[in-house]
Amino acid sequence: MRILVIGGGKVGSKRALKFSEYGAEVTVLSLAFSEELSKRDDIKKISLDAREVNREFIRNYDIVITATNNPEVNSRICDLCREERKLCNNPTNPSESSFIVPIFYEDEDIGIAVTTMGKSSIMSKVILDRALEALREDPKILLELKVMADVKAMLKRKVADPSIRYVLYQKIFVDREFESFINNGNVNSAMKRAEEIINESSQ
């Protein structure tokens, strides 16, 4: 995936670093680059005025991010992208974007994406922080996530039909005895109850 980020400031740097983190081939076009970008040899940098970007240049990329401090330039580039059937994200004007780049948190268990549709990046961060705070204050949610992942693996081992697996997965999740075990932190009993429900369905 070839990504073009137009603008080497704070917003452009964040976008470029995030796409690069996920394995994309990233190019940043700007007359000046942030310190973070300057240190990255894996991100290609082109010194060029964004006003000189044309359709032929855009054709070399799959996705374009417009992150200059000039709204007119950002809009013109998104117009060119639409003409070339390229995806374009304009952080300053979501209505011109063909996709949204949310603020994102990820660890080994969960991923949370938040967007305020361009209204306020600060509030996006506030909302994300509060969501993470709520998760940390309720460890039962993450415990239930772990147990349901184990239940899913058990179902794949024991039940061949995907449609039956789906029904059983839902049935286990709403089972009161199963839920009670999780609420009490009794993972082994919860898994035994899940196995009972699976075995009962095959009788």
Side-chain angles (χ1 to χ4, degrees), residues 64-66 71 74-75 78 88-97 99:
V64 178
I65 311 292
T66 61
N74 293 341
S75 295
C78 275
C88 182
N89 172 255
N90 181 353
T92 61
N93 191 346
S95 66
E96 294 180 346
S97 300
F99 69 99

Side-chain angles (χ1 to χ4, degrees), residues 130-159:
R130 290 185 182 177
L132 291 171
E133 183 180 350
L135 283 172
R136 295 183 184 113
E137 290 178 352
D138 187 1
K140 172 183 170 289
I141 294 177
L142 294 179
L143 176 62
E144 193 165 15
L145 169 62
K146 177 186 180 303
V147 174
M148 291 307 294
D150 291 342
V151 168
K152 185 176 182 179
M154 180 190 294
L155 281 165
K156 286 184 176 180
R157 292 194 305 270
K158 289 178 169 288
V159 182

